[in-house]
Amino acid sequence: MAVLKVVLTGLSKCVRHTCSPMLRTISTSTLLCQGIPGSVWKLGRLNHIAIAVPDMEKATALYRDVLGAQVSDKVPLPEHGVYTVFVELGNTKLELLHPLGEKSPIAGFLQKNTSGGMHHICIEVDDISAAIVDLKARNIRTLSAEPRIGAHGKPVMFLHPKDCDGVLVELEQA
């Protein structure tokens, strides 16, 4: 079992643990939120890191042909306004995102970041409904009223980046 040494120097508003900085050993085979008193949901593993790309074919070729990664086919997700390609990394995935349609949130992102860049991180949770109720009670805003079905066919919810230290966080039902 792999063990990580993590130095916690500050805590994000998005997921609070305890008040004092400390050195903590965390087992990578267990859920990460076990220490929150009264929590009915648990934070799991990093599912993927999403990268907005201006040229899907070029980005796919980089990961497949240059870096030697296994990549999925390009899949349209009209309900999210994106095309996706997943890059398998062994311990997690990269999700390449490209706009689908004029109202795509990725189109707006690429207008501001013409070369593309990191768009969001996706973390699994064991009970997405309980997580949403709990996070809303802690004044963490969500980008939709209800979870939607994501690229893996599971319920997902995005948390507002202004409430998560500038990071767009996607929660996905494990």
Side-chain angles (χ1 to χ4, degrees):
M1 169 171 48
V3 175
L4 301 174
K5 297 264 184 200
V6 179
V7 177
L8 301 174
T9 57
L11 300 175
S12 103
K13 182 180 174 187
C14 196
V15 180
R16 292 180 190 236
H17 295 281
T18 62
C19 295
S20 61
M22 67 183 122
L23 181 64
R24 179 179 285 178
T25 301
I26 300 176
S27 167
T28 58
S29 66
T30 60
L31 295 170
L32 299 177
C33 242
Q34 294 174 337
I36 299 178
S39 180
V40 295
W41 62 279
K42 292 182 175 56
L43 197 61
R45 71 179 193 93
L46 175 67
N47 184 283
H48 65 266
I49 298 170
I51 302 170
V53 298
D55 183 333
M56 182 64 91
E57 286 69 28
K58 182 179 173 185
T60 301
L62 169 68
Y63 289 99
R64 182 188 59 230
D65 303 335
V66 176
L67 298 175
Q70 180 181 352
V71 300
S72 71
D73 292 331
K74 181 168 81 172
V75 175
L77 296 176
E79 62 278 9
H80 292 277
V82 297
Y83 288 101
T84 64
V85 168
F86 280 94
V87 180
E88 294 293 330
L89 298 178
N91 62 342
T92 193
K93 298 179 280 295
L94 298 178
E95 178 185 34
L96 306 180
L97 299 172
H98 187 73
L100 172 62
E102 295 177 13
K103 295 183 180 183
S104 170
I106 299 304
F109 182 91
L110 289 172
Q111 286 175 352
K112 297 175 192 166
N113 307 279
T114 56
S115 297
M118 192 183 96
H119 185 261
H120 69 268
I121 64 170
C122 177
I123 304 171
E124 294 176 359
V125 295
D126 67 343
D127 186 340
I128 195 162
S129 297
I132 292 166
V133 169
D134 183 48
L135 292 168
K136 285 182 177 182
R138 296 171 188 253
N139 296 317
I140 304 296
R141 293 172 285 175
T142 59
L143 298 189
S144 61
E146 297 294 325
R148 298 188 300 175
I149 300 301
H152 298 113
K154 299 178 179 182
V156 300
M157 177 62 80
F158 285 89
L159 306 180
H160 201 293
K162 289 185 178 178
D163 296 336
C164 297
D165 297 319
V167 177
L168 179 59
V169 176
E170 177 184 19
L171 299 179
E172 179 179 278
Q173 177 68 47

